[in-house]
Amino acid sequence: MKILYSWLKDFIELDLAPEELAKKLTDLGIEVASIEKTGADFEGVHVAQIIQIDNHPNSDHLHLVTLDRGNGVTQRVVCGAPNVAVGQKVPLARVGARLGKIVMKPAVIRGVESEGMICSSDELGLTHTRAHGILVLDENLPLGTDVSTLYGKADTVFELEITSNRPDLLSHLGVARELGVLLNKPVKLPAMKDIPGQGKALDVEIQNAEGCGRYIGRIIRGVKNAESPEWMKERLAAMGLNPKNALVDVTNYVMFELGNPLHAFDLREVEGSKVIVRNAAAGEKFTVLGGRELELTENCLLIADEKKATALAGIMGGQESGIKEDTQDIFIEAAYFNPPTINKTVKKFAISSDSSQRFERGTDIEGAMLAMRRASELFVQICGGTASEINDVYPQKFENKIVEFTPAQINAILGANIPDEKLKDIFARLAAQFDASGSVWKFKAPTHRRDLNHKWDLAEEAARFAGYDNIPVSATRAHVTFADNPKGIDLGKIYANTLIGAGFCECKNIDFVGEADLKTMGADPKFCIRVKNALAQGWDYLRPTLLPSLIKNVESNLRFGNANLKLFEASKTFQNMKGFPVENYTVAGVLTGNLEEDKFFFSKD
């Protein structure tokens, strides 16, 4: 998950240097994989226009470029970019300009003095305008304009490694909440205007309430599929996305901001007046964005209209129902989907998206409405249009259970002595509801923290926010004993050494075999252990014998002309006995070709 520092500051007041913030996150158990500087980290770069291009006298690929800086002032630089052309407006860094940590100095290139440099987007450190060659600017920009004013200010992107049990951290709001507990600072939501609804939204029918716990829909009519504003494109580019258009960008923006995925449908492609959340029919075919056709099973959850499927729920929209350049009316979806349901479909078809990665781990069911309100405001603000009422179908409201515990129990679990007041402070900031008025404390987690449902979970939170360094290290004693002759280790060495001494070569083969191999060796598959998720075709079973693998070793050698072979393998075999898996340690060998009898001997030891 990428986090943009300036975006994070929209939610919480921070005055830490990027390196200090990274340490705070690491102390909380959030791994910071990388820190990258981004944005317009340059000074002294201004808009100039190319008025003349001459060949360099001492180079066949360099050019002498004359530029107009404005007010009749010209300047000549040496440039090797392939895309320079007369009339272009470009960013010119003069002597004394700063590009990151580099300060421009006078230069002589192939015997010709250069009074500056025409910059590429890479040299300016920009993220969403990467192109080959120099950066060509808008032809309407006035000469002399400070180029740094055209782009976002210098910023920092943190690449975080988020564990599967913390889906709440897959957004800027989620990370801000974590820091709010640590730093005892308030977390603020984006300032939003409520968009009044005019007219009904589509009806919603949830046929599988276990797979879809909540579904929110809204129509916005009369939108214009405009280009996203620069600030939105900059932020999305920092997340690693290529901005497309506002109707697509807004859904991605809200997902990275609040953590709840959204989907926007072209209303023209929704037939009827109802959205149906249903399971697929066995063998039902559905084409996702990109053109891939899937043959679905009854376990796949779909979003459909009254005639056809329009999206693979929580994963990807359909080929036909997606946003188009001429889209004028949209239907917005914000929902909560059951993580195992989404996960099984993702694995079955090896299809994934930013949305599915969040739904697979678990999104905030209460946050879906916040995401809908935020997206509605941005759509109307950027694209115009008139919004309908919001249709919120929420069959059974989710509530985290109340966890009861004592501070002594928390300290006993940790082997620590955290003061009661410190624990109260941590849990009060972390909880949706917290009562410490009695000897037994009562804690109820917010809906975005479904992982806090036992006192051991709360002990871990206490350790993280109090600081792992504050938990004392105590000495422990352990007694280790060894068996006289551990079976399977010493015997394996004896067999291997004896066979190697007899001229055999040891093989190391994979533990999987196919059904055809089993039948060839006379093994009944029903007495073998079948692998649920086979890595490849022909690796469907754990091998009950080593011989199929050794025979394949012989076949491979024969193809290369190696006919005289002594091969063996010492490894585990697996069987299904009375319904239970059993491991055995087995040694097997094969001999082929002309073998000299006097060289074939075994030790009697």
Side-chain angles (χ1 to χ4, degrees), residues 206-282:
I206 300 178
Q207 295 182 359
N208 182 352
E210 182 180 353
C212 178
R214 188 178 191 182
Y215 193 95
I216 307 171
R218 187 175 209 178
I219 294 172
I220 302 182
R221 300 183 185 273
V223 297
K224 181 182 179 182
N225 198 358
E227 185 176 347
S228 299
E230 284 297 324
W231 58 266
M232 181 175 286
K233 290 195 289 186
E234 281 285 339
R235 286 186 167 184
L236 289 176
M239 298 297 99
L241 292 186
N242 290 320
K244 296 180 180 179
N245 54 63
L247 294 182
V248 174
D249 294 346
V250 165
T251 59
N252 288 323
Y253 183 86
V254 174
M255 178 183 66
F256 285 114
E257 182 178 56
L258 305 180
N260 286 78
L262 298 158
H263 192 73
F265 299 89
D266 188 323
L267 192 61
R268 291 175 299 184
E269 304 299 333
V270 181
E271 299 184 69
S273 59
K274 182 189 292 186
V275 171
I276 304 169
V277 185
R278 62 171 175 84
N279 283 71

Side-chain angles (χ1 to χ4, degrees), residues 517-594:
D517 296 324
L518 296 176
K519 291 180 177 178
T520 299
M521 301 306 301
D524 190 338
K526 73 179 181 181
F527 296 116
C528 301
I529 300 172
R530 189 178 182 90
V531 181
K532 286 187 176 180
N533 297 309
L535 297 175
Q537 187 176 3
W539 288 359
D540 306 303
Y541 292 86
L542 289 172
R543 56 182 178 172
T545 170
L546 304 180
L547 292 178
S549 302
L550 287 169
I551 290 173
K552 288 184 178 180
N553 296 144
V554 172
E555 291 175 346
S556 178
N557 276 276
L558 290 176
R559 284 198 298 270
F560 289 94
N562 300 324
N564 301 327
L565 300 170
K566 294 180 180 179
L567 306 177
F568 83 95
E569 185 173 6
S571 187
K572 290 181 179 180
T573 55
F574 309 86
Q575 288 178 297
N576 191 346
M577 299 182 66
K578 297 182 179 181
F580 295 95
V582 176
E583 292 183 2
N584 295 301
Y585 197 89
T586 307
V587 179
V590 294
L591 301 92
T592 66
N594 297 319

Side-chain angles (χ1 to χ4, degrees), residues 292 294 315 343-353:
R292 180 183 171 190
L294 308 177
I315 301 173
N343 180 260
K344 289 175 183 176
T345 305
V346 166
K347 285 188 174 180
K348 179 174 180 58
F349 297 108
I351 184 171
S352 184
S353 63

Side-chain angles (χ1 to χ4, degrees), residues 483-502:
D484 294 335
N485 182 24
K487 293 183 179 179
I489 299 177
D490 289 349
L491 288 177
K493 287 182 179 179
I494 291 173
Y495 290 136
N497 290 337
T498 301
L499 289 167
I500 291 170

Side-chain angles (χ1 to χ4, degrees), residues 168-441:
D168 59 297
L169 296 177
L170 293 173
S171 70
H172 287 76
L173 173 59
V175 175
R177 282 169 170 158
E178 193 85 344
L179 291 169
V181 177
L182 177 69
L183 304 174
N184 193 18
K185 289 189 174 184
V187 174
K188 54 186 177 181
L189 295 175
M192 285 181 270
K193 295 180 181 177
D194 279 326
I195 304 299
Q198 300 180 24
K200 289 185 61 178
L202 297 176
D203 293 331
V204 174
E205 178 186 341
I206 300 178
Q207 295 182 359
N208 182 352
E210 182 180 353
C212 178
R214 188 178 191 182
Y215 193 95
I216 307 171
R218 187 175 209 178
I219 294 172
I220 302 182
R221 300 183 185 273
V223 297
K224 181 182 179 182
N225 198 358
E227 185 176 347
S228 299
E230 284 297 324
W231 58 266
M232 181 175 286
K233 290 195 289 186
E234 281 285 339
R235 286 186 167 184
L236 289 176
M239 298 297 99
L241 292 186
N242 290 320
K244 296 180 180 179
N245 54 63
L247 294 182
V248 174
D249 294 346
V250 165
T251 59
N252 288 323
Y253 183 86
V254 174
M255 178 183 66
F256 285 114
E257 182 178 56
L258 305 180
N260 286 78
L262 298 158
H263 192 73
F265 299 89
D266 188 323
L267 192 61
R268 291 175 299 184
E269 304 299 333
V270 181
E271 299 184 69
S273 59
K274 182 189 292 186
V275 171
I276 304 169
V277 185
R278 62 171 175 84
N279 283 71
E284 182 175 354
K285 290 181 170 57
F286 180 70
T287 303
V288 296
L289 285 171
R292 180 183 171 190
E293 185 180 72
L294 308 177
E295 185 172 334
L296 307 177
T297 66
E298 295 175 342
N299 294 324
C300 298
L301 193 65
L302 289 172
I303 309 301
D305 58 28
E306 294 178 312
K307 293 187 178 181
K308 65 183 183 304
T310 55
L312 196 58
I315 301 173
M316 194 170 291
Q319 177 78 352
E320 300 302 325
S321 63
I323 297 297
K324 304 170 183 64
E325 289 298 327
D326 62 346
T327 296
Q328 296 180 352
D329 303 324
I330 61 173
F331 175 74
I332 314 168
E333 165 195 288
Y336 174 85
F337 298 114
N338 183 33
T341 300
I342 305 303
N343 180 260
K344 289 175 183 176
T345 305
V346 166
K347 285 188 174 180
K348 179 174 180 58
F349 297 108
I351 184 171
S352 184
S353 63
D354 286 322
S355 294
S356 68
Q357 290 169 14
R358 286 160 175 80
F359 283 125
E360 282 182 89
R361 291 159 175 79
T363 57
D364 180 7
I365 195 168
E366 293 294 332
M369 180 57 77
L370 178 65
M372 173 60 77
R373 290 178 53 220
R374 176 63 164 156
S376 298
E377 181 200 31
L378 291 172
F379 276 128
V380 172
Q381 174 187 326
I382 299 169
C383 306
T386 303
S388 73
E389 298 173 352
I390 294 175
N391 189 1
D392 182 8
V393 180
Y394 195 176
Q396 185 173 356
K397 186 175 175 63
F398 173 78
E399 296 281 353
N400 270 318
K401 71 176 186 179
I402 294 175
V403 182
E404 297 186 352
F405 62 96
T406 66
Q409 289 173 328
I410 299 298
N411 278 313
I413 292 170
L414 297 176
N417 189 24
I418 303 173
D420 288 4
E421 290 304 315
K422 179 69 173 177
L423 291 174
K424 281 183 184 180
D425 189 39
I426 292 171
F427 293 138
R429 281 181 265 145
L430 192 61
Q433 297 175 21
F434 179 57
D435 180 6
S437 59
S439 58
V440 177
W441 295 358

Side-chain angles (χ1 to χ4, degrees), residues 2-311:
K2 291 184 177 180
I3 294 294
L4 186 64
Y5 199 7
S6 62
W7 201 348
L8 189 64
K9 289 181 179 180
D10 287 354
F11 296 93
I12 184 171
E13 184 182 336
L14 295 171
D15 55 2
L16 301 169
E19 293 73 20
E20 293 176 305
L21 178 59
K23 185 179 185 308
K24 294 287 185 185
L25 293 170
T26 302
D27 290 343
L28 287 173
I30 303 172
E31 181 182 349
V32 180
S34 65
I35 304 175
E36 179 186 357
K37 302 292 184 181
T38 185
D41 186 17
F42 57 85
E43 297 173 350
V45 181
H46 298 85
V47 176
Q49 187 169 29
I50 298 175
I51 57 176
Q52 184 177 332
I53 300 176
D54 299 307
N55 292 327
H56 192 293
N58 302 318
S59 173
D60 57 0
H61 69 278
L62 296 176
H63 304 285
L64 303 181
V65 181
T66 305
L67 302 105
D68 180 4
R69 289 169 35 188
N71 298 322
V73 180
T74 62
Q75 187 167 337
R76 190 177 71 169
V77 302
V78 177
C79 180
N83 63 326
V84 291
V86 172
Q88 290 174 334
K89 289 189 176 178
V90 295
L92 173 64
R94 295 174 291 188
V95 173
R98 179 184 63 82
L99 306 179
K101 296 181 179 179
I102 300 173
V103 177
M104 295 297 299
K105 297 179 180 179
V108 176
I109 302 175
R110 295 284 185 94
V112 177
E113 184 178 354
S114 181
E115 302 171 358
M117 179 175 71
I118 303 174
C119 301
S120 68
S121 57
D122 282 335
E123 288 160 341
L124 296 177
L126 302 175
T127 56
H128 77 284
T129 53
R130 297 282 170 91
H132 185 58
I134 61 170
L135 176 62
V136 179
L137 301 172
D138 187 339
E139 61 181 9
N140 296 316
L141 287 172
L143 296 178
T145 301
D146 186 345
V147 177
S148 68
T149 63
L150 306 177
Y151 302 98
K153 295 181 179 179
D155 213 331
T156 305
V157 177
F158 299 89
E159 179 79 40
L160 307 183
E161 296 290 343
I162 306 300
T163 54
S164 59
N165 66 319
R166 293 301 307 274
D168 59 297
L169 296 177
L170 293 173
S171 70
H172 287 76
L173 173 59
V175 175
R177 282 169 170 158
E178 193 85 344
L179 291 169
V181 177
L182 177 69
L183 304 174
N184 193 18
K185 289 189 174 184
V187 174
K188 54 186 177 181
L189 295 175
M192 285 181 270
K193 295 180 181 177
D194 279 326
I195 304 299
Q198 300 180 24
K200 289 185 61 178
L202 297 176
D203 293 331
V204 174
E205 178 186 341
I206 300 178
Q207 295 182 359
N208 182 352
E210 182 180 353
C212 178
R214 188 178 191 182
Y215 193 95
I216 307 171
R218 187 175 209 178
I219 294 172
I220 302 182
R221 300 183 185 273
V223 297
K224 181 182 179 182
N225 198 358
E227 185 176 347
S228 299
E230 284 297 324
W231 58 266
M232 181 175 286
K233 290 195 289 186
E234 281 285 339
R235 286 186 167 184
L236 289 176
M239 298 297 99
L241 292 186
N242 290 320
K244 296 180 180 179
N245 54 63
L247 294 182
V248 174
D249 294 346
V250 165
T251 59
N252 288 323
Y253 183 86
V254 174
M255 178 183 66
F256 285 114
E257 182 178 56
L258 305 180
N260 286 78
L262 298 158
H263 192 73
F265 299 89
D266 188 323
L267 192 61
R268 291 175 299 184
E269 304 299 333
V270 181
E271 299 184 69
S273 59
K274 182 189 292 186
V275 171
I276 304 169
V277 185
R278 62 171 175 84
N279 283 71
E284 182 175 354
K285 290 181 170 57
F286 180 70
T287 303
V288 296
L289 285 171
R292 180 183 171 190
E293 185 180 72
L294 308 177
E295 185 172 334
L296 307 177
T297 66
E298 295 175 342
N299 294 324
C300 298
L301 193 65
L302 289 172
I303 309 301
D305 58 28
E306 294 178 312
K307 293 187 178 181
K308 65 183 183 304
T310 55

